[in-house]
């Protein structure tokens, strides 16, 4: 048998609170595309960071072409031809493409022209449309990723590791990336990509390593498996699909939350939101689709009161709330599950019970003669822990110690109670495993059934389609159109998200 | 949890012992015998009730200035101006006492003096919070510089309005007996200010951990953005936290003037603010821990003074010892989290094997 290009044998890594990897072994051959599939927290990224030298394994060995190698740092890894593209890019925005690519690879006087030519040629070989003189800060995310890839290619990488490469891309961009991956591998290189999306795996990988709870629990050829089998391997049990039609569609209700011609100008004068008009009825879910960074966060913050629009109005049940601050809007019944929960949604160093109190510390209901009514708060927290099956030793546990999914459930429990009228969900399932995603989807549908108005922002199209009554597409701060889910195909929405106008899309689609 | 508390006690005791041993080594350089020096240190503080009680007298203002630093520290703010707030408190205490001692009964004069002191030093501290909230200035610098302003105000007043009748030294007249803080133990200097300090420690703990206001202060301290997104007005809390912090430091001025000095002398207790910061860090900002840390520092201070009197050893060796103890206690904090980490890791390894 052919010796493996790279092989990992018995890799284990322990962190203080978790076993990240336990006895992980697998290999990759030249010319192969390997998908590393698993839920979040399954240990995929950790094992790749070990291969790339960012972490050191507590146990185990790594082999290249049958010889043992020691990888102590990314520098060692690069010498062996390993390059890793992180989920969050490591580019310098204020530098040009060329400067970013040669960063760390040059010395002495830099001959800009020469490098620019080299990079242009390299980009040409792989059909990348990248101008080496552009500043990275002006580039779109998809192009930035290409710059990252060029950087790896420039260093003559022969094993490319990509961590969730498609998370930030439009469907079309993702397609292009997949093509590149195939091409690159066909030239005798190898690619490992980390993902939890089954579809991608089936479309591009030759072999699939499935990880669960830090261990390898499946090593299968793509040709011998299917999506159902993979998802079973991944979560260890059958998936219970959320059925959208379980809840009957209601006749249109009168609108509860109305956003009228709202524009938000940033300090630079560039509008982050342009003339947005939306309406959400009672018992209705409005899905906001779009590639992240197109104004979603600003839209959410305008609704919850963290930012005030430069012009336009916001109405809740007919009452103008445009000038009300966050606290007044919380009291008016607007709940907000932010995308960045650790930054905007919770205090990591506080207990679950204390986090439950975060938005209602002014509320008399939690006070007893001016003191916090600890007993009542604990009882309530205990109830929520049970209802949302939050895995924790006690109500006093620090939220920092909880897994991402359980942290999200804490916020969810709080906001569902806070948002008596409107709940905004910004990327409620990002980075969560399938079990937790399922649970959260059920909660969203349950709140809809109670007659609450829901704004659901997500970059996962499947999520938007599965839950929304209406779908609005956001591109560069503008609404591209509001649609019934049935009107849209994945392709059509992909084009809308990429900035094509409705007219253009119609022509393409017909 | 058990292991955690055990770690806490052992590492802190070890830190204190190491601090003493290290300063003992320093004594060797001076050609002194550290064992006999420390024997003097320990026996001297327990030789009579007066000296022993003095430990708590010294600990009293330290508790206040340490609380002052710890309180804003919980809101992730740095008030290093406790020294200035202490002087402002002392000025108001002495001025109010001198004015009221002749017209009101002692207890009433004391009560009004206390209230005025807290208000005045609270406003003085609150100003730092105000410029922080309003102009986003750096509270670290503002609080530090405000100390020099307070010092200048004190010097000015002691040369003019508050200067003693003899007009000889920059100090005030002595306060009348009626406005002295009552002694707890007769024959010692221990006054009710110590009880006040203890109650303040407990009060601050209750405020921080049991009331919605303290909860909000901590929430802003840990994660200002999440607090803002939850409708908590951080700016208002900055001002309030600095007000309370200033009032706490000012209270030390009251207890020192009315309890110990019975007058105001230019530039007295010049290191009380810095020592408070050290103690607060030593106690990791915990108000209850501050009680013990302050008593430890009080004991070192008293012992150091006597050691300086009774032997050729300079009493500044005590400051060295304080420094060493502080360094080791801070190191102990990291040792504890390392121990904790390893324990969890071992537990995990055992569980999976």
């Amino acid at each position: 048998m052919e010796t493996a290009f790279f092989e990992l044998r018995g890799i284990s890594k322990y962190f203080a609170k978790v076993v990240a990897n336990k006895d992980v072994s697998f290999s990759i051959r030249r010319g192969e595309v390997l998908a590393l599939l698993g839920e979040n927290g399954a240990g995929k990224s950790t094992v790749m960071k070990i291969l790339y030298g960012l972490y050191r394994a507590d146990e185990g060995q790594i082999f290249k072409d049958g010889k043992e190698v020691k990888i102590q740092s990314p520098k060692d890894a690069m010498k062996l031809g390993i390059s890793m593209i992180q989920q969050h890019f490591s580019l310098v925005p204020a530098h040009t493409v060329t400067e970013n690519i040669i960063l760390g690879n040059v010395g002495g006087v830099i001959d800009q022209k020469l490098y620019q030519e080299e990079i242009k040629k390299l980009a040409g070989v792989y059909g990348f449309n990248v101008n080496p003189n552009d500043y990275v800060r002006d580039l779109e995310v998809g192009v930035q990723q290409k710059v990252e890839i060029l950087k790896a290619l420039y260093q003559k990488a022969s094993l490319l590791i990509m961590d969730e490469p498609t998370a930030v891309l439009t469907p079309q961009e993702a397609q292009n990336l997949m093509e590149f991956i195939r091409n690159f591998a066909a030239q005798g290189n190898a690619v490992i990509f980390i993902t939890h999306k089954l579809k991608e795996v089936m479309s591009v990988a030759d072999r699939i390593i499935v990880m669960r709870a830090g261990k390898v629990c499946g090593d299968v050829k793509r040709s011998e498996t299917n999506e159902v089998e993979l998802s079973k391997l991944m979560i260890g049990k059958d998936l219970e699909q959320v059925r959208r039609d379980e809840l009957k569609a209601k006749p249109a209700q009168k609108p509860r939350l109305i956003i009228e011609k709202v524009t938000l100008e940033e300090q630079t004068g560039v509008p982050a939101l342009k003339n947005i008009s939306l309406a959400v009825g009672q018992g209705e879910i409005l899905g906001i689709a779009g590639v992240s960074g197109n104004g979603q966060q600003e839209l959410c913050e305008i609704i919850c009161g963290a930012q005030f629009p430069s012009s336009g109005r916001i109405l809740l049940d007919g009452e103008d709330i445009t000038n009300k601050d966050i606290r007044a809007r919380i009291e008016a019944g607007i709940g907000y599950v932010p995308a960045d929960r650790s930054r905007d949604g919770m205090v990591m160093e506080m207990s679950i019970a204390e986090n439950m109190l975060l938005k209602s510390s002014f509320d008399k209901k939690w006070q007893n003669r001016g003191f916090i009514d600890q007993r009542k708060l604990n009882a309530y927290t205990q109830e929520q822990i049970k209802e949302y099956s939050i895995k924790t030793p006690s109500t006093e546990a620090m939220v920092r110690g909880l897994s991402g999914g359980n942290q999200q459930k804490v916020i969810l429990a709080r906001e569902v109670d806070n948002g008596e009228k409107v709940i905004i969900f910004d990327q409620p399932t990002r980075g969560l495993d399938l079990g937790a995603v399922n649970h959260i989807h059920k909660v969203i549908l349950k709140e809809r059934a109670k007659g609450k108005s829901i704004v659901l922002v997500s970059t996962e199209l499947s999520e938007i389609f599965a839950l929304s009554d209406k779908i609005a597409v956001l591109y560069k701060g503008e609404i591209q159109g509001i649609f019934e889910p049935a009107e849209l195909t994945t392709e059509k929405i992909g084009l809308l998200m990429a900035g094509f106008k409705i007219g253009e899309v119609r022509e393409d689609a017909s | 949890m058990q292991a955690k508390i055990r770690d806490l006690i052992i590492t802190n005791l070890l830190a204190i012992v190491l601090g003493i041993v290290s300063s003992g080594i320093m004594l060797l350089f001076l050609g002194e015998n550290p064992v006999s020096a420390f024997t003097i240190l320990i026996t001297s503080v327990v030789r009579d009730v007066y000296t022993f009680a003095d430990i708590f007298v010294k600990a009293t203002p330290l508790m206040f200035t340490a609380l002052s630093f710890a309180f804003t520290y919980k809101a992730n703010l740095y008030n290093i101006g406790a020294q200035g707030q202490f002087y402002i408190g002392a000025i108001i205490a002495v001025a109010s006492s001198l004015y009221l001692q002749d017209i009101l009964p002692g207890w009433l004069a004391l009560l009004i003096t206390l209230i005025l002191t807290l208000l005045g030093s609270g406003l003085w501290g609150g100003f730092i919070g105000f410029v922080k909230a309003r102009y986003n200035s750096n509270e670290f610098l503002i609080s530090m510089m405000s100390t020099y302003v307070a010092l200048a105000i004190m010097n000015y007043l002691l040369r003019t309005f508050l200067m003693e009748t003899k007009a000889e030294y920059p100090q005030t007249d002595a306060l009348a007996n009626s406005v002295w803080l009552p002694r707890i133990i007769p024959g010692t200097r221990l006054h009710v200010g110590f009880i006040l300090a203890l109650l303040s420690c407990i009060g601050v703990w209750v405020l921080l951990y049991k009331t919605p206001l303290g909860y909000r202060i901590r929430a802003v301290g840990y994660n200002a953005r999440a607090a803002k997104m939850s409708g908590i007005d951080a700016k208002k809390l900055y001002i309030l936290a600095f007000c309370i912090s200033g009032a706490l430091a000012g209270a030390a001025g009251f207890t020192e003037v009315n309890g110990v000095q019975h007058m105001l002398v230019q530039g007295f207790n010049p290191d009380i603010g810095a020592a408070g910061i050290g103690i607060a860090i030593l106690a990791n900002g915990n108000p209850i821990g501050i009680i013990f840390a302050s008593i430890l520092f009080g004991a070192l201070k008293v012992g150091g003074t006597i050691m300086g009197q009774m032997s050729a050893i300079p009493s500044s060796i005590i400051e060295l010892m304080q420094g060493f103890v502080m360094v080791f206690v801070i190191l102990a904090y990291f040792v504890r989290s390392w121990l904790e980490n390893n324990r969890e890791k071992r537990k995990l390894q055992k569980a999976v094997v």
Side-chain angles (χ1 to χ4, degrees):
Chain A
M1 204 185 116
E2 179 196 354
T3 26
F5 184 20
F6 274 97
E7 187 185 351
L8 286 88
R9 235 182 255 169
I11 299 283
S12 294
K13 173 82 189 167
Y14 306 95
F15 290 121
K17 302 248 148 126
V18 281
V19 186
N21 292 132
K22 183 69 197 163
D23 201 15
V24 171
S25 304
F26 61 83
S27 60
I28 180 163
R29 286 189 295 275
R30 283 176 202 275
E32 199 174 32
V33 177
L34 190 70
L36 204 52
L37 184 70
E39 300 193 345
N40 270 80
K44 301 168 305 219
S45 295
T46 310
V47 74
M48 285 301 108
K49 282 178 178 167
I50 289 169
L51 183 55
Y52 188 54
L54 286 168
Y55 291 157
R56 224 164 294 165
D58 289 326
E59 293 153 19
Q61 300 155 290
I62 300 171
F63 298 87
K64 185 193 181 191
D65 296 322
K67 266 179 272 167
E68 187 175 357
V69 287
K70 287 259 177 281
I71 302 175
Q72 309 272 8
S73 72
K75 211 168 179 179
D76 295 348
M78 281 181 219
K79 269 190 213 143
L80 296 168
I82 304 172
S83 194
M84 181 165 177
I85 295 172
Q86 307 279 342
Q87 203 171 346
H88 302 283
F89 303 147
S90 37
L91 296 172
V92 185
H95 278 182
T96 64
V97 170
T98 307
E99 286 168 331
N100 265 288
I101 291 174
I102 60 176
L103 181 69
N105 302 312
V106 286
V109 182
I110 297 169
D111 183 355
Q112 287 272 1
K113 276 246 172 68
L114 177 82
Y115 291 117
Q116 277 167 18
E117 280 311 307
E118 269 183 34
I119 287 158
K120 207 176 231 170
K121 228 182 274 165
L122 193 65
V125 172
Y126 289 93
F128 286 173
N129 188 16
V130 176
N131 180 359
N133 293 325
D134 281 348
Y135 283 95
V136 165
R137 59 167 179 254
D138 302 329
L139 300 177
E140 287 177 36
V141 191
V143 185
Q144 289 191 9
Q145 187 176 51
K146 284 180 183 153
V147 177
E148 280 276 11
I149 294 172
L150 280 174
K151 199 168 154 184
L153 296 175
Y154 188 78
Q155 290 162 3
K156 310 248 180 331
S158 49
L159 172 65
L160 198 56
I161 305 168
M162 305 181 88
D163 194 350
E164 303 262 1
T166 57
V168 289
L169 303 182
T170 62
Q172 278 80 6
E173 284 176 325
Q175 200 108 52
N176 291 341
L177 178 71
M178 293 302 156
E179 260 166 48
F180 161 77
I181 289 177
R182 298 243 109 259
N183 269 333
F184 181 69
Q187 293 164 14
N189 301 305
V191 177
I192 301 179
F193 75 96
I194 305 174
T195 186
H196 57 238
K197 291 184 191 161
L198 293 168
K199 249 191 208 157
E200 278 170 18
V201 170
M202 291 308 287
S203 74
V204 74
D206 297 309
R207 209 150 51 86
I208 299 144
I209 306 288
V210 188
M211 288 187 72
R212 189 171 72 225
K215 293 178 198 166
V216 173
C217 60
D219 184 342
V220 287
K221 286 207 175 80
R222 188 210 17 191
S223 49
E224 294 164 4
T225 187
N226 56 45
E227 292 175 12
V228 179
E229 192 196 333
L230 286 177
S231 72
K232 269 189 207 166
L233 278 173
M234 219 164 114
I235 53 173
K237 60 178 184 216
D238 280 316
L239 246 188
E240 191 188 343
Q241 283 288 341
V242 177
R243 284 270 185 72
R244 181 70 182 76
D245 43 41
E246 269 173 18
L247 296 144
K248 270 178 265 159
K250 287 185 201 159
Q253 302 275 347
K254 69 167 183 164
R256 165 164 268 167
L257 177 74
I258 300 173
I259 298 170
E260 259 179 23
K261 295 183 183 156
V262 161
T263 295
L264 173 71
E265 272 175 22
E266 300 272 282
Q267 280 171 335
T268 50
V270 185
L273 295 174
K274 262 179 268 173
N275 204 18
I276 294 218
S277 294
L278 291 169
V280 197
Q282 292 184 13
E284 192 175 63
I285 300 178
L286 171 69
I288 309 278
V291 179
S292 62
N294 273 292
Q296 287 97 328
Q297 170 138 22
E298 287 82 0
L299 181 62
C300 294
E301 293 194 350
I302 283 266
I303 302 174
C304 81
Q307 296 202 53
F308 294 108
S310 324
S311 66
R313 292 200 305 162
I314 304 162
L315 304 172
L316 179 66
D317 281 337
E319 189 196 347
D320 191 333
I321 58 165
T322 317
N323 294 319
K324 284 194 170 176
D325 64 4
I326 301 181
R327 194 174 144 193
R329 292 199 206 185
I330 290 168
E331 277 156 15
I334 297 179
Y336 175 33
V337 179
D340 191 339
R341 59 175 166 266
S342 57
R343 191 188 62 174
D344 298 338
M346 57 197 338
V347 182
M348 288 292 178
E349 291 80 5
M350 284 187 164
S351 69
I352 297 177
E354 284 179 309
N355 271 287
M356 286 288 177
L357 185 64
L358 193 58
K359 283 203 173 174
S360 45
S361 68
F362 297 97
D363 199 331
K364 287 276 173 289
K365 125 178 121 165
W366 300 120
Q367 292 172 22
N368 182 8
R369 274 175 284 164
F371 294 99
I372 297 170
D373 192 341
Q374 203 66 48
R375 202 174 294 163
K376 196 169 160 194
L377 183 62
N378 282 345
Y380 167 79
T381 308
Q382 197 60 52
E383 234 170 69
Q384 299 293 326
I385 288 173
K386 217 168 159 192
E387 193 178 330
Y388 285 83
S389 44
I390 298 165
K391 285 194 199 94
T392 170
S394 83
T395 59
E396 297 300 314
M398 295 281 141
V399 288
R400 186 177 289 293
L402 301 182
S403 73
N406 283 310
Q407 288 175 353
Q408 186 73 338
K409 285 179 189 171
V410 171
I411 296 190
L412 212 63
R414 187 184 70 206
E415 295 309 319
V416 159
D417 264 16
N418 268 325
E420 286 162 0
K421 291 183 178 168
V422 177
I423 310 175
I424 312 156
F425 292 95
D426 191 1
Q427 304 270 29
T429 58
R430 185 170 65 178
L432 301 187
D433 61 53
L434 285 170
V437 169
N438 237 327
H439 186 166
I440 288 168
H441 284 176
K442 276 190 194 153
V443 170
I444 294 175
L445 289 176
K446 208 171 87 192
E447 295 308 308
R448 169 187 178 268
K450 283 185 197 160
K452 293 185 185 177
S453 304
I454 288 161
V455 179
L456 171 68
V457 175
S458 181
T459 50
E460 293 285 339
L461 289 180
S462 56
E463 185 166 85
I464 293 274
F465 275 105
L467 300 172
S468 308
D469 295 298
K470 282 191 299 188
I471 298 172
V473 182
L474 205 55
Y475 174 75
K476 290 203 166 164
E478 276 183 282
I479 299 281
Q480 297 281 85
I482 301 171
F483 307 91
E484 298 279 328
E487 287 180 81
L488 291 167
T489 57
T490 314
E491 208 160 57
K492 201 165 155 188
I493 200 170
L495 288 167
L496 285 167
M497 281 160 63
F500 289 90
K501 290 281 179 304
I502 302 165
E504 294 168 317
V505 175
R506 290 260 155 81
E507 276 162 40
D508 286 350
S510 60
Chain B
M1 211 59 201
Q2 287 297 341
K4 248 184 174 170
I5 293 168
R6 193 193 60 209
D7 279 357
L8 185 79
I9 295 169
I10 292 176
T11 51
N12 272 336
L13 280 180
L14 213 62
I16 292 167
V17 169
L18 275 174
I20 291 170
V21 169
S22 311
S23 38
I25 293 168
M26 292 292 145
L27 279 179
L28 282 178
F29 284 115
L30 293 175
E32 298 289 342
N33 181 352
V35 177
S36 64
F38 290 134
T39 314
I40 295 174
L41 181 68
I42 292 163
T43 51
S44 64
V45 293
V46 293
R47 71 180 171 192
D48 56 57
V49 183
Y50 181 88
T51 321
F52 189 69
D54 236 29
I55 294 174
F56 303 99
V57 175
K58 296 283 185 213
T60 301
L62 293 175
M63 275 193 245
F64 281 120
T65 50
L67 277 180
S68 167
F69 180 79
F71 194 78
T72 40
Y73 182 68
K74 282 289 166 194
N76 207 8
L77 299 168
Y78 292 86
N79 175 20
I80 57 165
Q83 185 72 38
Q85 291 140 19
F86 162 70
Y87 281 149
I88 293 293
I91 293 167
I92 295 173
V94 85
S96 160
S97 302
L98 284 172
Y99 181 72
L100 295 174
Q101 63 190 8
D102 303 324
I103 48 177
L104 287 176
W107 65 271
L108 190 58
L110 272 176
L111 191 67
I112 293 173
T113 299
L114 175 61
I115 291 166
L116 286 177
T117 307
L118 295 182
L119 275 177
S121 48
L123 282 176
W124 183 263
F127 174 75
I128 302 164
F130 170 74
V131 289
K132 163 96 183 162
R134 183 78 180 71
Y135 304 106
N136 198 24
S137 33
N138 184 326
E139 83 280 3
F140 196 95
L141 290 174
I142 302 286
S143 62
M144 185 172 82
M145 300 316 284
S146 73
T147 296
Y148 297 105
V149 178
L151 194 63
I153 291 175
M154 179 168 76
N155 290 344
Y156 170 71
L157 289 176
L158 284 178
R159 293 265 175 213
T160 53
F161 302 106
L162 292 177
M163 197 170 191
E164 59 179 348
T165 347
K166 275 193 295 177
E168 200 171 336
Y169 296 106
Q171 61 187 34
T172 64
D173 287 327
L175 302 186
N177 267 335
S178 63
V179 289
W180 291 14
L181 281 173
R183 298 266 154 86
I184 304 173
I185 304 170
T188 70
R189 297 202 293 166
L190 191 60
H191 54 87
V192 292
F194 178 67
I195 310 275
L196 213 59
L198 281 182
L199 289 177
S200 298
C201 287
I202 295 164
V204 166
W205 183 80
V206 170
L207 178 65
L208 278 176
Y209 293 96
K210 298 289 166 196
T211 68
L213 175 66
Y215 167 80
R216 285 194 284 271
I217 287 175
R218 286 185 297 128
V220 167
Y222 284 130
N223 187 346
R225 206 182 139 85
K228 184 195 154 211
M229 297 299 282
S230 307
I232 296 171
D233 186 351
K235 295 189 167 180
K236 224 189 264 170
L237 288 181
Y238 287 161
I239 300 175
L240 197 63
F242 264 104
C243 255
I244 295 173
S245 181
L248 284 166
F254 171 72
T255 60
E256 281 301 279
V257 165
N258 292 71
V260 183
Q261 308 276 342
H262 304 135
M263 57 162 36
L264 182 60
V265 184
Q266 188 180 35
F268 80 121
N269 278 358
D271 56 356
I272 210 165
I277 295 172
I279 290 165
I281 291 171
L282 192 67
N284 195 23
N286 184 315
I288 306 303
I290 284 175
I291 299 177
F292 297 103
S294 300
I295 292 172
L296 172 69
F297 271 56
L300 288 174
K301 218 170 183 175
V302 173
T305 313
I306 296 174
M307 200 162 77
Q309 289 161 358
M310 290 182 40
S311 61
I313 304 164
S315 67
S316 59
I317 194 78
I318 284 299
E319 278 158 40
L320 200 66
M321 197 186 291
Q322 284 174 356
F324 273 122
V325 169
M326 219 178 305
V327 168
F328 284 112
V329 167
I330 292 166
L331 280 178
Y333 173 81
F334 292 103
V335 171
R336 274 201 300 282
S337 61
W338 180 75
L339 282 173
E340 166 93 9
N341 239 342
N342 271 7
R343 203 165 34 236
E344 296 279 338
K345 219 165 161 173
R346 268 200 309 276
K347 220 192 284 170
L348 215 61
Q349 243 155 331
K350 239 182 253 163
V352 277
V353 168

